[in-house]
Amino acid sequence: LPLVVGMGLAIASDANIGIKSALAVGASFSPTSLGVAASALKQGKMLDTPVGQLIVSSCVVDDILALILLSMFQVLVEENPPIIAYFIPFISSLGFLLVLGGSAVTWLPKFIQNKILNKVPEQHRELTMFSIMTAMLLAYLPLLNYTKSSYLTGAFLAGATFSQIESAHHAFIEKTHQLMTWLLR
């Protein structure tokens, strides 16, 4: 729906706009605001209900699809790209989501928790977690960008890995609360 609304607004504002440009405008409308939706669900005491979890899940799927669509921007601005160029961002994004995303929700959080964080003294665990996450970001962002996927997918995948570590979630909320409040405004 946001894709179609964005395309419609682009076409309505300029009748001479091409379909590629309208698609680019629509794609920029596509990512939902999971943070805002989760905040609204939490305030309404709906976040931990089956309906709330369904809304959160659909926002995550929508965001993943929007990231794949955004990775196609590079192809949309090229002059007469070969037809295969339209499929490379999709295949790259899907492959990394399956491989790195699968790792992010299965074995990688357990490895980080059990093999790294448990061996670090308590007072250094938060710094170690944020250092590992920063290292993952520094690896994932260019990797996905150079393979024609959206670099934002790399940020999503690094965050997904640490979302499975309970202490990381609490540390992130505690350390970034003021920043998140400001950003939501």
Side-chain angles (χ1 to χ4, degrees):
L1 182 61
L3 175 69
V4 173
V5 168
M7 288 179 69
L9 289 172
I11 292 169
S13 68
D14 184 4
N16 296 327
I17 195 168
I19 190 69
K20 285 183 178 182
S21 298
L23 184 61
V25 171
S28 67
F29 276 82
S30 291
T32 60
S33 182
L34 178 58
V36 173
S39 178
L41 289 169
K42 187 175 181 180
Q43 286 181 351
K45 296 183 179 25
M46 293 288 295
L47 186 60
D48 293 326
T49 66
V51 172
Q53 292 299 302
L54 180 63
I55 291 170
V56 168
S57 298
S58 65
C59 284
V60 169
V61 170
D62 182 55
D63 284 349
I64 290 170
L65 293 174
L67 288 173
I68 292 171
L69 187 58
L70 286 172
S71 69
M72 307 244 346
F73 270 146
Q74 189 68 27
V75 178
L76 292 175
V77 297
E78 290 179 16
E79 192 79 26
N80 299 321
I83 193 72
I84 190 70
Y86 289 99
F87 293 100
I88 290 173
F90 178 76
I91 293 167
S92 175
S93 295
L94 192 61
F96 280 115
L97 284 167
L98 290 174
V99 173
L100 296 178
S103 298
V105 296
T106 55
W107 68 271
L108 194 53
K110 292 174 189 169
F111 176 80
I112 292 169
Q113 181 70 46
N114 298 331
K115 301 292 184 188
I116 299 173
L117 294 178
N118 285 346
K119 295 181 180 179
V120 174
E122 183 71 35
Q123 66 267 24
H124 298 297
R125 284 193 185 154
E126 285 183 11
L127 178 61
T128 303
M129 280 189 298
F130 284 116
S131 298
I132 294 169
M133 187 167 65
T134 301
M136 288 177 71
L137 282 170
L138 292 174
Y140 286 0
L141 294 179
L143 174 67
L144 272 75
N145 187 45
Y146 292 133
T147 56
K148 306 291 186 197
S149 183
S150 172
Y151 66 91
L152 295 172
T153 306
F156 171 79
L157 291 170
T161 300
F162 282 86
S163 71
Q164 303 295 312
I165 300 173
E166 186 67 29
S167 60
H169 175 74
H170 292 301
F172 182 80
I173 295 299
E174 179 184 314
K175 301 293 184 197
T176 62
H177 176 71
Q178 292 177 341
L179 176 64
M180 294 297 284
T181 302
W182 180 79
L183 287 172
L184 286 173
R185 288 187 185 148

